[in-house]
Amino acid sequence: KNFSRLQLLEADLLLAADKPWEAVLLYALVERTNKNNPIGYEAKFKRAKTAYFIGDFKWSEAQLNILKGSTSKLIANDAFFLASLIHETIEKNISDTAALKKYARAEWLEFCNKDSSALLTLDSINIVFPNNQLKDEILYKKATIAIKHKNYNLALSQLDSLISSFPLSSVCD
């Protein structure tokens, strides 16, 4: 079990080093050697999230839908929210696929602790795709990054904008 945990960490490092295919292979190995237990489910989730990061939304969504009902509550919730984001964004407007690719890139940058680049990428989405369906997600992500850096005034400002601009958003739930 400890070896599998180390393999997950190694795969995370590979992903952060922009080697997603190597990371996917290692996640798959951990998943295969830990079937039907939490670390195997975590590996499957990380594999699906890697697919999301690189823009393979259909495969990612299919894997996330499997995880929604078969894992620990924490992974099931994460899988549910990411699958919903993919499904709702692409279903509402197929042209938002390009905006979602940029948003996934911003999330990958945040995963890599490249928060300033993530924020620039998030800002660029509304400029390049002014009618995108991700405006509420962008505000929320910017708030979470501000919280991470203990910039609570900026986070509060982002969250106030989110609530006033999108009072019915699922992000606000």
Side-chain angles (χ1 to χ4, degrees), residues 131-147:
N131 298 318
N132 75 78
Q133 300 293 318
L134 297 165
K135 293 179 192 288
D136 55 343
E137 297 288 342
I138 291 167
L139 286 169
Y140 185 74
K141 179 56 67 182
K142 288 168 76 173
T144 61
I145 292 171
I147 290 168

Side-chain angles (χ1 to χ4, degrees), residues 114-173:
K114 297 177 180 178
D115 294 338
S116 58
S117 294
L119 289 168
L120 288 172
T121 302
L122 291 169
D123 287 340
S124 75
I125 296 169
N126 289 330
I127 295 167
V128 176
F129 308 100
N131 298 318
N132 75 78
Q133 300 293 318
L134 297 165
K135 293 179 192 288
D136 55 343
E137 297 288 342
I138 291 167
L139 286 169
Y140 185 74
K141 179 56 67 182
K142 288 168 76 173
T144 61
I145 292 171
I147 290 168
K148 183 171 150 184
H149 292 277
K150 297 181 175 31
N151 189 341
Y152 302 117
N153 289 331
L154 179 58
L156 184 58
S157 171
Q158 298 291 343
L159 293 171
D160 282 342
S161 282
L162 174 63
I163 292 167
S164 64
S165 299
F166 304 96
L168 301 176
S169 173
S170 61
V171 172
C172 297
D173 293 343

